[in-house]
Amino acid sequence: MLTAIDAAATLELRLAELQRNNPEAFMEALFKAFYRSLGNVVFQVVQDRDVAEDLVQDVLLNVWKNRDTLQITTTYKAYLHRAAMNAALRYAERQKRQVSLEQAGSPDFGTNSTAEHMDGQEAEQAVAAALAALPPQCRAVFLLSRQEGLSYQQIADTLEVAPKTVENQMGKALRLLRQHLKGFFSGALLLLLGLL
């Protein structure tokens, strides 16, 4: 029985072989193996399903265009996640520049709401709004750590930044999330959410 690590290594070897010998099968295998996870990661940054799909398709199209000269120095998974995250961050930065602060406004998180008065949907909306309010790089670091389960070193490799930058961005993300959510959730709930 293959472990997850063995399966990932086998997939990487298969992709390298297909890249050399069968470009169409290579792209099909990349798509099947990574499209959904790339889309989920990008969506967490851009918060728009259509945009996330477009960005992932652009990343895969670039791989197709450069398949003859593409040299992967890490793994296909790491390369694609880094490319997708960079595309998402670039998109988020462009969007941030296009929308003035007056138009964007700041989310109204309220001060009198408590977890006891909120239903599950309101809680999800509060957390989603708090995540959306984070700067793009903070959001990316937080999501890669908490949703993808990556270590700081893996996040640093994915985003091509120093591990200390990841640590600083994570601290900033946690601080901002606690500030945005403290009116909604008690300290115990923030602890359960991993924000304390």
Side-chain angles (χ1 to χ4, degrees), residues 30-91:
L30 277 182
F31 186 88
K32 286 179 179 177
F34 301 116
Y35 185 81
R36 179 174 284 186
S37 66
L38 293 173
N40 289 336
V41 167
V42 171
F43 175 75
Q44 295 300 323
V45 175
V46 301
Q47 298 293 305
D48 183 316
R49 238 346 125 196
D50 293 331
V51 170
E53 287 181 11
D54 288 344
L55 291 172
V56 171
Q57 288 172 6
D58 287 346
V59 166
L60 292 172
L61 181 62
N62 283 336
V63 169
W64 174 254
K65 287 178 182 176
N66 299 308
R67 66 191 178 277
D68 294 330
T69 58
L70 182 67
Q71 293 185 1
I72 304 296
T73 57
T74 56
T75 64
Y76 287 96
K77 180 180 180 178
Y79 175 85
L80 290 171
H81 276 266
R82 182 177 60 239
M85 187 56 71
N86 287 342
L89 291 172
R90 281 192 302 273
Y91 175 85

Side-chain angles (χ1 to χ4, degrees), residues 81-127:
H81 276 266
R82 182 177 60 239
M85 187 56 71
N86 287 342
L89 291 172
R90 281 192 302 273
Y91 175 85
E93 283 299 318
R94 282 193 308 271
Q95 289 304 106
K96 193 166 105 178
R97 277 182 255 147
Q98 288 177 0
V99 178
S100 70
L101 290 175
E102 294 79 36
Q103 291 170 326
S106 63
D108 181 17
F109 292 102
T111 55
N112 298 330
S113 296
T114 62
E116 294 79 29
H117 295 102
M118 294 174 59
D119 64 14
Q121 187 175 12
E122 289 173 326
E124 282 183 32
Q125 289 172 345
V127 172

Side-chain angles (χ1 to χ4, degrees), residues 15 23-33:
L15 289 170
E24 290 81 13
F26 168 67
M27 287 308 296
E28 184 179 338
L30 277 182
F31 186 88
K32 286 179 179 177

